[in-house]
Amino acid sequence: MALSDSVTTCLSLPVHYLICKVGFEKKDTYDINNILSENGEVCWQAVTEHVCYLESDQSVDYIKSIRSLGPVCESVYLHFKSLTKEQFVIQYALWFHWTNCTELFIEVFDVLQHTQTTGVALGLMKLTSCLERALGDMNVLRVFIGSPYGLNLRNVLWHGFASPKEIPAKYCAMLLFLTAGLGQLLQMYLLQNKCILVHRPYVIFVSLEELDVFPDLNHEAVSIAEELVNLSSFVLKTMIPFWMAALTAFKQSRYADCVILLLPQLEVGLRLLFTTANKCQNRLLTAESSALYTTFDEMLAKHLDNEEVNQLPSVLEEPAMEFLWDFLNHQEGPRVRDRLSHGEINLEAFPREVANQIVAFAITLLCRFSDEDMFAFKEHMVIKPLMNCASCYCSRFHPISRLKKQVLECMKSIHLWPELPTVPEEHVQTIKGLEGNTEASTLIFMISEILSQLQQYMPQNCCSSDDPINNVLTERLLTELCDTRICTLYSPRPVLEILVVLRKMSTQCHQVSEQVIASTKLRYKQWMNKTLRSRQRHNYLRMLSSMKFLSPVLRLILVLMTVELVNVHLVCKKNSSDYQQYLKFLKSVLQYTENLVTYTSPEKNKWDETLELTNKTLIKIKRISDRKLMLMQLTT
């Protein structure tokens, strides 16, 4: 029998007792009027009287507090059950405005009327994500969601430890009630202090096209997913209702609900694989308050807390690990779970594109990890494309991937230079001080010499010995280099340090290009309209002259950066002294690009200084190349 069939709960005995038993031990009937005044206000003092403290150090006694609050929660739950939706809205809706999510709380009230178990759990997850910001030091709230010693409902649910039947509806009702009470306290505070509440803006997912990994899921794909849920050993049988509710939410276009329900279940399934692969089945259960839960953070790490190598990556394989890191962890990725669980996203506007990726990825895991024969499912016409996409996924949000994107965007910008409008060449030649300008030619020769020297380390079909700085060839070379797969998982610290410098360098190069483009367009327009003063005309023509070497030097830097990126893991072969010397070199090139940004800005226009600066930097690059200190030169 599969482990997923034999597991009946993911709550350890003490945690199960705390959540499912303690609050039901007192059978007293509690009068709702003790905590709710005639005018509908929450009587905080009466509520907090049920919070008990230890005699030893006056810290909260969580078990006694939960036991005492049990009948209070039941009373609140029955009170809400007795109200119609209209009555609830009239009496309570105003007090939820402070959350900026009034509709969400009305929706939770609806769920309580039907006591549908997955709905209660979903309501609690959404409610706790909103409440977390307001938690503060209120001990009564800490009993429910703020402490690992209490019910800890938020973490137990968001990390997928509780099954639908293990979360009492009365705790959801109590948190709904306390949220209204907080709204009342806040309004009183705002009136007394004559101030208004300003809500932080929601996080918006940008560049959704970058998240477009899997094809759009149709109704047939979701129907197959429902079949897979019942067959796959990736799913704990006690958690099947959550999976079904998530897929139903997707079909109903409730995309935030879908992802909120599904992410904890992905965590449960991965925890099942993690504990099996690392032979630590006891960690499938919730930890006690004295130890950490086994969560995504640990499961995606390279090593276990005992310093042994985590075996989950070898089970999942690199593409799946990269997908999880991209969507959950990388700072520049969507960080879906963090943002949802901390109330940073407008649930009403949650994009289908993101939900589609999470559901599609989940389907591939259902297919991959099963005791059943899944061949027919994997080969199905709507599932096979998903499996193919998952098997060849490459990180999009690791610093390596972001640098590739930056390099190509910068190259596109530089590629526009030849199309820019400029005055005829004869005008440049007639300006005093620009006749016979050999400096630019000297710089171009140096660039060509460096590139020729390094050609042996580059793809030969993208290089030309006759014209190593050809614009089209450079673009083809960069594109091919950026297509090279580079390991992103668990990058060592030296690699990450190099990436930080290279990314800053790329950003500066792009800014130089954009400044040159903007200045060229503006000055040309002013030239044609004859609105430039004599000094401005001279400066404009100096800029045009400088562009002849600036374009090749920026392309040289992009090529060097990208070839070094392809070989970035070789930095770990350098000894400490060589590494520091190499880092110092990169930082000097970064300094050059930063100075270029300053010198080419509309405020400065220091084109003579740009030439001198470029000459010094090229000499430095040539010296490093001659000494074979670059990473690409370690490959031979």
Side-chain angles (χ1 to χ4, degrees):
M1 183 171 64
L3 183 58
S4 56
D5 291 327
S6 62
V7 175
T8 57
T9 181
C10 288
L11 299 178
S12 63
L13 283 173
V15 175
H16 187 275
Y17 170 64
L18 209 60
I19 294 175
C20 303
K21 300 289 178 66
V22 175
F24 294 85
E25 289 177 346
K26 285 183 75 173
K27 305 299 182 183
D28 310 6
T29 301
Y30 191 81
D31 187 351
I32 189 67
N33 294 315
N34 290 338
I35 56 170
L36 189 63
S37 69
E38 287 183 8
N39 60 357
E41 291 186 358
V42 175
C43 304
W44 279 99
Q45 187 175 351
V47 175
T48 55
E49 282 173 0
H50 290 272
V51 179
C52 306
Y53 298 88
L54 296 168
E55 291 182 13
S56 56
D57 58 1
Q58 288 302 297
S59 60
V60 175
D61 185 328
Y62 286 97
I63 291 182
K64 279 189 178 179
S65 298
I66 294 165
R67 188 176 291 126
S68 180
L69 281 163
V72 181
C73 297
E74 186 67 26
S75 175
V76 170
Y77 177 47
L78 294 174
H79 164 64
F80 283 151
K81 292 273 282 185
S82 71
L83 299 178
T84 65
K85 185 173 182 177
E86 186 180 15
Q87 288 172 324
F88 177 79
V89 169
I90 292 169
Q91 190 170 340
Y92 289 98
L94 172 66
W95 308 118
F96 297 124
H97 287 180
W98 68 277
T99 67
N100 208 23
C101 301
T102 303
E103 287 303 316
L104 185 155
F105 291 90
I106 295 172
E107 183 186 306
V108 172
F109 170 81
D110 284 337
V111 166
L112 290 172
Q113 304 312 298
H114 306 101
T115 325
Q116 201 264 339
T117 53
T118 54
V120 169
L122 174 63
L124 258 174
M125 290 169 75
K126 291 159 79 171
L127 199 153
T128 54
S129 72
C130 285
L131 264 186
E132 195 191 31
R133 300 183 183 192
L135 185 61
D137 295 320
M138 298 191 68
N139 284 333
V140 68
L141 275 174
R142 289 174 62 80
V143 169
F144 293 95
I145 59 174
S147 167
Y149 298 94
L151 292 168
N152 204 12
L153 295 172
R154 176 190 178 277
N155 287 334
V156 164
L157 279 166
W158 274 100
H159 291 298
F161 288 105
S163 68
K165 294 178 181 177
E166 290 174 316
I167 298 297
K170 69 181 184 180
Y171 294 145
C172 183
M174 189 64 179
L175 282 172
L176 190 63
F177 184 73
L178 294 177
T179 306
L182 284 171
Q184 293 165 0
L185 288 177
L186 185 61
Q187 187 183 57
M188 195 182 308
Y189 173 84
L190 295 174
L191 287 171
Q192 288 172 353
N193 292 275
K194 297 179 181 177
C195 54
I196 58 170
L197 183 65
V198 179
H199 295 285
R200 282 182 290 176
Y202 285 120
V203 171
I204 297 171
F205 292 116
V206 294
S207 303
L208 286 173
E209 68 279 358
E210 288 193 83
L211 306 177
D212 190 14
V213 181
F214 296 97
D216 195 51
L217 297 173
N218 58 22
H219 188 80
E220 186 181 6
V222 181
S223 297
I224 293 173
E226 290 172 332
E227 286 184 61
L228 287 167
V229 167
N230 288 297
L231 295 172
S232 178
S233 53
F234 187 76
V235 179
L236 292 184
K237 299 312 172 193
T238 57
M239 301 296 187
I240 286 177
F242 278 136
W243 282 87
M244 292 305 192
L247 295 172
T248 299
F250 186 83
K251 288 191 288 188
Q252 295 173 346
S253 303
R254 295 185 292 115
Y255 300 119
D257 287 0
C258 167
V259 175
I260 289 171
L261 287 164
L262 196 51
L263 284 174
Q265 296 317 304
L266 282 176
E267 189 164 340
V268 178
L270 290 171
R271 189 156 47 238
L272 190 60
L273 296 177
F274 172 88
T275 54
T276 304
N278 292 298
K279 297 180 174 60
C280 53
Q281 268 80 2
N282 60 306
R283 301 203 60 182
L284 189 60
L285 303 178
T286 44
E288 310 317 315
S289 53
S290 57
L292 294 173
Y293 293 165
T294 305
T295 63
F296 274 133
D297 289 343
E298 184 175 0
M299 291 189 285
L300 299 182
K302 185 176 184 178
H303 293 101
L304 307 178
D305 54 6
N306 62 4
E307 298 305 316
E308 289 185 13
V309 174
N310 178 9
Q311 297 302 313
L312 181 63
S314 62
V315 173
L316 279 181
E317 300 174 354
E318 196 168 304
M321 289 294 293
E322 288 188 339
F323 180 91
L324 288 165
W325 268 91
D326 266 6
F327 275 73
L328 301 178
N329 280 17
H330 284 315
Q331 286 302 301
E332 293 176 69
R335 290 178 30 235
V336 181
R337 208 272 302 275
D338 282 355
R339 285 170 169 163
L340 273 175
S341 64
H342 292 99
E344 296 176 15
I345 294 172
N346 181 356
L347 302 184
E348 296 298 315
F350 193 89
R352 176 190 168 91
E353 292 89 339
V354 177
N356 190 86
Q357 305 312 311
I358 302 293
V359 174
F361 179 72
I363 292 172
T364 67
L365 294 181
L366 293 175
C367 279
R368 286 181 61 194
F369 300 103
S370 178
D371 295 333
E372 303 284 333
D373 181 6
M374 290 291 184
F375 181 79
F377 283 105
K378 291 177 183 176
E379 291 299 310
H380 192 285
M381 61 182 293
V382 298
I383 301 300
K384 190 171 183 178
L386 306 184
M387 303 302 291
N388 291 339
C389 289
S391 65
C392 61
Y393 183 79
C394 293
S395 174
R396 301 180 180 197
F397 297 102
H398 185 280
I400 285 174
S401 313
R402 305 315 283 171
L403 176 55
K404 287 179 178 181
K405 185 170 184 282
Q406 284 178 253
V407 165
L408 294 176
E409 286 176 349
C410 184
M411 187 60 222
K412 280 181 185 174
S413 176
I414 298 168
H415 202 57
L416 297 174
W417 287 23
E419 311 301 320
L420 292 171
T422 58
V423 299
E425 179 66 24
E426 56 266 24
H427 286 281
V428 181
Q429 300 300 329
T430 58
I431 296 294
K432 187 178 179 183
L434 291 180
E435 314 97 336
N437 185 359
T438 58
E439 289 97 332
S441 301
T442 304
L443 294 181
I444 292 169
F445 177 77
M446 285 175 69
I447 293 166
S448 182
E449 195 176 20
I450 293 168
L451 280 169
S452 297
Q453 190 176 8
L454 298 176
Q455 263 188 15
Q456 59 182 301
Y457 308 107
M458 303 175 195
Q460 294 308 298
N461 60 325
C462 299
C463 301
S464 167
S465 54
D466 300 329
D467 185 10
I469 54 176
N470 179 289
N471 204 16
V472 177
L473 288 174
T474 307
E475 189 166 24
R476 199 194 315 160
L477 172 62
L478 290 175
T479 302
E480 180 157 332
L481 288 170
C482 287
D483 282 341
T484 307
R485 181 152 192 161
I486 306 167
C487 179
T488 61
L489 273 183
Y490 312 127
S491 299
R493 184 174 177 178
V495 169
L496 294 175
E497 286 179 339
I498 298 300
L499 290 171
V500 168
V501 179
L502 293 178
R503 291 191 67 187
K504 286 180 180 176
M505 209 185 291
S506 177
T507 299
Q508 301 301 317
C509 288
H510 199 163
Q511 190 170 342
V512 170
S513 179
E514 292 299 302
Q515 285 179 178
V516 167
I517 289 171
S519 293
T520 303
K521 288 178 177 177
L522 176 64
R523 291 304 189 208
Y524 176 77
K525 185 178 179 182
Q526 292 171 328
W527 177 285
M528 297 306 290
N529 292 335
K530 298 185 177 180
T531 56
L532 290 174
R533 296 189 298 274
S534 173
R535 185 177 175 183
Q536 289 175 320
R537 287 198 304 275
H538 192 275
N539 201 274
Y540 168 46
L541 295 172
R542 279 206 172 277
M543 178 181 74
L544 295 179
S545 178
S546 299
M547 285 171 66
K548 293 174 184 176
F549 70 81
L550 269 181
S551 172
V553 81
L554 288 177
R555 283 184 278 131
L556 168 67
I557 291 172
L558 288 180
V559 168
L560 291 180
M561 281 171 45
T562 314
V563 180
E564 292 300 89
L565 172 63
V566 169
N567 298 289
V568 70
H569 286 284
L570 293 176
V571 76
C572 300
K573 291 187 175 181
K574 286 183 176 285
N575 62 40
S576 178
S577 173
D578 287 348
Y579 170 72
Q580 291 301 328
Q581 194 174 1
Y582 176 69
L583 190 60
K584 185 179 178 182
F585 160 66
L586 289 184
K587 287 181 176 178
S588 71
V589 179
L590 171 60
Q591 182 67 59
Y592 163 72
T593 60
E594 289 170 344
N595 289 337
L596 271 189
V597 169
T598 303
Y599 289 170
T600 61
S601 67
E603 298 78 25
K604 296 291 183 182
N605 273 310
K606 293 188 173 181
W607 301 104
D608 289 343
E609 290 85 347
T610 299
L611 190 145
E612 294 165 18
L613 199 66
T614 301
N615 185 53
K616 289 178 183 176
T617 300
L618 289 174
I619 291 170
K620 194 175 296 182
I621 293 173
K622 181 75 167 59
R623 190 182 304 132
I624 291 292
S625 173
D626 290 341
R627 293 171 62 194
K628 297 189 181 301
L629 294 178
M630 293 190 194
L631 298 180
M632 68 180 91
Q633 294 168 315
L634 294 177
T635 59
T636 55

